[in-house]
Amino acid sequence: MLSHRAIWDGIDALARRHGHSVSALAKLAGLDATAFNISKRINKDGRERWPSTESISKILEATGESFDSFLHGTGAYMQISPHESGQTVPLLGLAQAGSGGFFDSAGFPAGQGWDEVALPSPGEAGIYALEVQGDSMEPLYREGDRIVVSPTEQVRRGDRVVVRTRDGEVMAKILARQSAKQIELHSLNPAYEPRLLDVADIEWIARIIWASQ
């Protein structure tokens, strides 16, 4: 899982690799020198503050690094390679996942039409992969990336999740808040507004545990 802390750890690691403080890295990228300060990582009301995709893009451009190298610096990214493990899990397109017949009532794979993708290491029973469509989670997940999902993992605030509504909508989001009656879902792409959904309208939520590019 790529958490709030992992994103900031990635920025810290990027600065260290290039011999900069986070303030110097921000200035190198043309940003305010305090943009990445520790004091800026939590809002005054206690909510986690995420760096913008624009600021991440600027520091990658300034240092000449790729987004893949940034993700590896977070310590929370595993790239799936079909040569690293003999185990495979079911694979389905995210858009297809909204259709009937692919899942049981608990969110586990069911029915026909699933493909397969290899895992980097042995995984738990019941996990499966979905192929990303759309750009709401860019730059973390892009069109065509595969995300491996676990219906049994406990889901907590800040987790990357796949949510299916009772209307058949399936989406990959960040679980920003959850109460007894509502959940709030965020996208990484700032062009997308947060989503508020009633718990009664949710069929299931599953945690994203791996990703491949």
Side-chain angles (χ1 to χ4, degrees):
M1 178 192 70
L2 198 57
S3 64
H4 171 267
R5 179 174 178 177
I7 287 284
W8 286 110
D9 284 349
I11 291 174
D12 292 340
L14 182 66
R16 287 194 300 270
R17 285 199 298 275
H18 292 269
H20 299 304
S21 65
V22 290
S23 296
L25 177 64
K27 289 193 289 185
L28 179 68
L31 302 170
D32 185 281
T34 65
F36 301 139
N37 284 4
I38 293 177
S39 61
K40 294 288 188 75
R41 301 181 185 188
I42 301 292
N43 289 320
K44 292 181 179 179
D45 59 5
R47 290 182 303 151
E48 296 171 339
R49 176 182 169 269
W50 295 77
S52 70
T53 53
E54 181 183 10
S55 65
I56 293 175
S57 176
K58 285 184 175 181
I59 61 175
L60 294 180
E61 183 179 357
T63 56
E65 294 216 20
S66 67
F67 191 66
D68 263 357
S69 67
F70 171 76
L71 287 177
H72 282 288
T74 67
Y77 178 74
M78 293 181 67
Q79 186 169 15
I80 295 172
S81 168
H83 304 295
E84 293 178 12
S85 170
Q87 182 178 352
T88 61
V89 295
L91 169 68
L92 187 70
L94 198 60
Q96 288 176 279
S99 305
F102 290 110
F103 297 94
D104 64 18
S105 60
F108 288 86
Q112 304 297 313
W114 290 83
D115 201 346
E116 289 187 337
V117 64
L119 283 182
S121 59
E124 65 192 72
I127 63 177
Y128 57 90
L130 297 172
E131 191 167 85
V132 173
Q133 278 127 8
D135 61 356
S136 71
M137 291 294 280
E138 286 188 354
L140 182 58
Y141 306 138
R142 295 182 173 85
E143 182 99 18
D145 287 353
R146 292 168 177 178
I147 50 178
V148 177
V149 175
S150 170
T152 60
E153 287 275 339
Q154 182 180 0
V155 175
R156 294 169 292 188
R157 177 185 174 187
D159 284 349
R160 270 62 172 172
V161 296
V162 171
V163 177
R164 178 179 165 120
T165 69
R166 298 194 184 280
D167 292 335
E169 184 181 6
V170 178
M171 64 198 95
K173 299 290 181 185
I174 300 164
L175 181 61
R177 185 175 61 85
Q178 183 172 16
S179 68
K181 294 184 178 180
Q182 282 191 324
I183 66 169
E184 182 176 338
L185 302 172
H186 288 186
S187 301
L188 282 181
N189 188 333
Y192 289 80
E193 295 291 328
R195 295 280 302 271
L196 276 176
L197 298 172
D198 290 338
V199 170
D201 294 332
I202 302 299
E203 187 168 339
W204 49 258
I205 303 176
R207 184 179 168 195
I208 299 170
I209 57 174
W210 286 321
S212 72
Q213 291 187 312

